[in-house]
Amino acid sequence: QVQLVESGGGLVQAGGSLRLSCAASGRTFRPYATAWFRQAPGKEREFVAAITRSGGNTYYAETVKGRFTISRDNGKNTVYLQMNSLKPEDTAVYYCAATTNYGDLRSLSLFKYWGQGTQVTVSS
C-alpha cells in the first residue's frame, strides 16, 4: 500500500504559476501510474492530468492542455504538476491518485490510492 501527500497549493493571481508535489511513502512509487484530479465547490471531481509508470506517456484534460505539465521522479517517489497561466476556473482542491491497475488513466474508478488534497485558489 502507498500513502500519498500533496503539497504546494496556495493563493495565486490569474496568470501566475504553482507547482504541486505528491510524495509517496510506504513502498516504491515505480509500479504506480499516477494522476491529478481536482474538485471545485459544488462540482464533481474531474481529471486533470496523468502519467504512466515510466513517465513515458502523459495525458491532459483539454481545459489544462498547454498550461499544465505532469512529471515524476521515481527516485524521489514524487509526482509533480506544474501549473502555468492559471485562471480563476482552475480554483479547486487538487488530489493526487495512484494505481497499479491498467486502464483509462482519466477514470477516477481506476485509482485506489488518494491523497488528502491541496487547495489551489486563483484570484481574478
Side-chain angles (χ1 to χ4, degrees):
Q1 186 169 344
V2 66
Q3 292 81 42
L4 306 175
V5 178
E6 302 97 333
S7 61
L11 174 64
V12 64
Q13 288 188 331
S17 298
L18 284 173
R19 188 176 81 154
L20 305 183
S21 299
C22 173
S25 61
R27 57 177 57 192
T28 178
F29 212 17
R30 194 176 300 275
Y32 296 83
T34 59
W36 289 92
F37 292 82
R38 67 186 182 187
Q39 188 167 18
K43 295 188 177 181
E44 294 186 350
R45 194 169 298 189
E46 65 176 7
F47 169 77
V48 176
I51 189 166
T52 52
R53 288 157 180 78
S54 65
N57 289 291
T58 56
Y59 306 90
Y60 297 93
E62 286 298 321
T63 53
V64 306
K65 194 173 292 184
R67 300 188 297 123
F68 291 11
T69 303
I70 189 171
S71 61
R72 66 189 296 160
D73 185 337
N74 285 338
K76 294 183 178 180
N77 278 1
T78 303
V79 173
Y80 304 98
L81 185 67
Q82 178 67 44
M83 305 186 295
N84 298 329
S85 302
L86 283 161
K87 305 175 181 180
E89 50 263 44
D90 294 318
T91 295
V93 177
Y94 283 71
Y95 296 91
C96 176
T99 183
T100 56
N101 296 326
Y102 289 85
D104 184 358
L105 293 180
R106 297 173 177 86
S107 174
L108 275 77
S109 61
L110 190 71
F111 292 88
K112 180 178 181 180
Y113 304 103
W114 292 83
Q116 83 289 348
T118 185
Q119 176 70 46
V120 171
T121 303
V122 185
S123 63
S124 57

